[in-house]
Amino acid sequence: MKNKNPEKPLFLFLILASSLASMATAKSTIEPCSTKDTCNSLLGYTLYTDLKVTEVASLFQVDPVSMLLSNSIDISYPDVENHLLPAKLFLKIPITCSCVDGIRKSLSTHYKTRTTDTLGSIADSVYGGLVSPEQIQVANSDTDLSVLDVGTKLVIPLPCACFNGTDDSLPALYLSYVVRDIDTMAGIAKRFSTSVSDLTNVNAMGAPDINPGDILAVPLLACSSNFPKYATDYGLIIPNGSYALTAGHCVQCSCVLGSRSMYCEPASLAVSCSSMQCRNSNFMLGNISSQQSSSGCKLTTCSYNGFVSGTILTTLSMSLQPRCPGPQQLAPLIAPPDNVPKELMYVPSPSPSPSPPPDSDDDVVGGGIIIAPAASPRGLTVPSSSSIPGNPANGPGGSISFASCPSSYYSFIAFLISIASCFFVVFLV
């Protein structure tokens, strides 16, 4: 006997199909822009398999040494560039963020396809969900991607954000982070030493709700430089507790733990470098002298002041302070990891809890990197919409876009829809 009201199961089926389809979308923060300027940014990347340092760097076309220092990994380790990094290791990948078609993104990464590649496997596995198959297709619209030939060169559009290099008027560098199924907003905030309210405002979220595959712009407390505009490394900014190479790999700078003070010294690499001696003194770059007296502490410092036309600029400064400071608290450089601690791979983020007080102990996070205490939350921002405003962003608070989730969801959703279809047929019979 047939159902007397076939429209009802049809309606229920359409609702179910619509609900399942909505599960296949992931949110990503978009920063509008209107100028051609670039900025430094970071990608949060999890290795899909064991890879050498050079192989990871090649995936993103970045300098392997700079990548290591971004993760506080010791570059003086023997044959470090050929060290095999373990699968599931989380790394910060330094990239250049550009303004393309009115939004911030990076188009400097290219990928050559291999035998078993599909757009889904490239997006989900190779690049860890930082891009969707549809985004790759759009970025390569002039190439027929219906069949991927081995060796096809693809542009990989990657997410990034600048937000004027500030967070609540303090220097900041932004990390694009792919949300895992065990993540919570509180856990992400604690891991990267920020706050839930800051994450919510930066990403223009009406509520702190996240789903696996969402890509968040995470502000990292940083140190900014004050080099002259004519210096090739003008605008250098380094996340707290991290390192960066500059001046042709001759100078290594770090953001002192728990502060916004940048400290630079000669790099450990054996390269040919210009003089690093401060003029009219015996001080070398990075040298600090302190002398306590009845009137206070006399400090003499030889500081780095940028790289101009192959010359390392240095500045000798003298000051009088009430007391002598202790040694610079730099993040410890670690040996290249051979394994990933299980607590970083499997343990879910902590349940929502109040943010730690500013004077709490520093947190040790992925890769052994020590991050400074959380910065104070920003003020409110204008709620976002899914459209892209025509005006450039004047600060954090981007819009939200929706992209397809990793293709691993597709088969699951297709399976559920097929079940729903069966129920629909049964209702009609």
Side-chain angles (χ1 to χ4, degrees), residues 101-295:
D101 298 328
I103 62 173
R104 289 289 182 190
K105 67 173 68 173
S106 173
L107 295 180
S108 60
T109 295
H110 297 83
Y111 178 79
K112 283 189 177 181
T113 56
R114 300 168 297 185
T115 306
T116 59
D117 281 336
T118 64
L119 290 184
S121 67
I122 295 170
D124 304 340
S125 296
V126 178
Y127 287 98
L130 285 164
V131 64
S132 71
E134 290 76 16
Q135 289 169 336
I136 296 177
Q137 199 154 21
V138 170
N140 297 274
S141 57
D142 56 345
T143 304
D144 181 10
L145 301 181
S146 56
V147 178
L148 284 181
D149 295 326
V150 175
T152 301
K153 191 174 183 180
L154 301 176
V155 175
I156 307 297
L158 295 169
C160 61
C162 296
F163 292 127
N164 301 319
T166 62
D167 177 44
D168 197 22
S169 301
L170 298 176
L173 203 64
Y174 286 84
L175 171 84
S176 295
Y177 179 78
V178 181
V179 175
R180 305 172 299 166
D181 55 0
I182 59 175
D183 277 330
T184 65
M185 283 287 278
I188 295 171
K190 181 175 181 180
R191 181 177 185 181
F192 295 107
S193 296
T194 183
S195 66
V196 171
S197 61
D198 202 2
L199 283 175
T200 303
N201 289 329
V202 165
N203 293 279
M205 301 164 66
D209 299 325
I210 52 174
N211 295 297
D214 289 352
I215 301 177
L216 300 179
V218 180
L220 305 179
L221 178 69
C223 297
S224 61
S225 60
N226 56 357
F227 306 153
K229 288 188 175 181
Y230 50 83
T232 56
D233 47 4
Y234 170 75
L236 178 66
I237 184 169
I238 305 172
N240 196 262
S242 293
Y243 293 78
L245 276 185
T246 187
H249 284 193
C250 289
V251 177
Q252 179 173 302
C253 298
S254 180
C255 184
V256 178
L257 286 172
S259 77
R260 291 182 292 278
S261 173
M262 187 180 296
Y263 172 75
C264 300
E265 60 185 343
S268 58
L269 299 177
V271 292
S272 178
C273 304
S274 65
S275 173
M276 299 191 202
Q277 185 172 347
C278 270
R279 186 176 299 177
N280 301 323
S281 76
N282 294 323
F283 279 68
M284 300 296 294
L285 176 64
N287 287 167
I288 300 175
S289 169
S290 61
Q291 184 179 2
Q292 188 69 51
S293 66
S294 57
S295 57

Side-chain angles (χ1 to χ4, degrees), residues 341-369:
K342 287 186 178 180
E343 61 270 18
L344 296 180
M345 291 174 59
Y346 305 114
V347 176
S349 300
S351 301
S353 59
S355 299
D359 58 352
S360 64
D361 293 337
D362 295 339
D363 292 319
V364 179
V365 300
I369 303 168

